[in-house]
Amino acid sequence: MVNLIQIEERRLKKILIPQLRKAWRKFRGHVRDIRKKPTPDGVHDLRVSIRRLRALVTVFEELMPDLAVRSFHQQMRRIMKPFGDIRDLHVQFDLLSSSVRRNETFLNPMLKALE
């Protein structure tokens, strides 16, 4: 029984390692894109790639308890936090923009400043 579990763990690692590499490449690509041009969609894509990468690392952590991933998770949280705040602002701006008419609102100066 123990041998079967070990065999399955090895198979799972072989499946997960390419996924981890793919997720890491996507994360790095999104970071590069955000540096060039920080768009709302780019911020969203970066946050999604961070969540996916963290999920894969968490699976590896379960398979390999000796794997030291605490600092990785801390760094990802540190990156995620400001982009979460930016994403919230993007969503609020979109909601405000779509709910008021630009030509007849007292919010025009604030909306203009947010742009």
Side-chain angles (χ1 to χ4, degrees), residues 13-99:
K13 287 175 191 173
K14 285 181 181 179
I15 293 170
L16 289 174
I17 287 173
Q19 292 301 315
L20 184 61
R21 285 187 184 123
K22 179 180 174 184
W24 182 250
R25 278 193 305 270
K26 281 190 174 193
F27 166 73
R28 288 179 44 211
H30 291 307
V31 168
R32 188 174 44 250
D33 294 345
I34 287 291
R35 284 182 176 160
K36 287 179 185 175
K37 187 174 181 187
T39 64
D41 287 338
V43 170
H44 173 72
D45 292 342
L46 175 66
R47 288 174 46 80
V48 168
S49 69
I50 289 172
R51 283 194 297 274
R52 288 181 179 164
L53 188 57
R54 288 179 67 193
L56 281 166
V57 169
T58 299
V59 171
F60 268 101
E61 189 177 14
E62 290 297 318
L63 291 172
M64 304 165 70
D66 295 336
L67 194 63
V69 295
R70 185 173 181 199
S71 76
F72 169 80
H73 284 299
Q74 289 173 342
Q75 292 296 323
M76 289 296 119
R77 276 194 298 275
R78 201 183 93 215
I79 294 169
M80 189 85 143
K81 174 67 175 130
F83 286 108
D85 296 341
I86 290 170
R87 181 69 181 148
D88 290 345
L89 287 173
H90 286 153
V91 169
Q92 291 168 7
F93 178 76
D94 288 345
L95 287 172
L96 270 175
S97 296
S98 66
S99 67

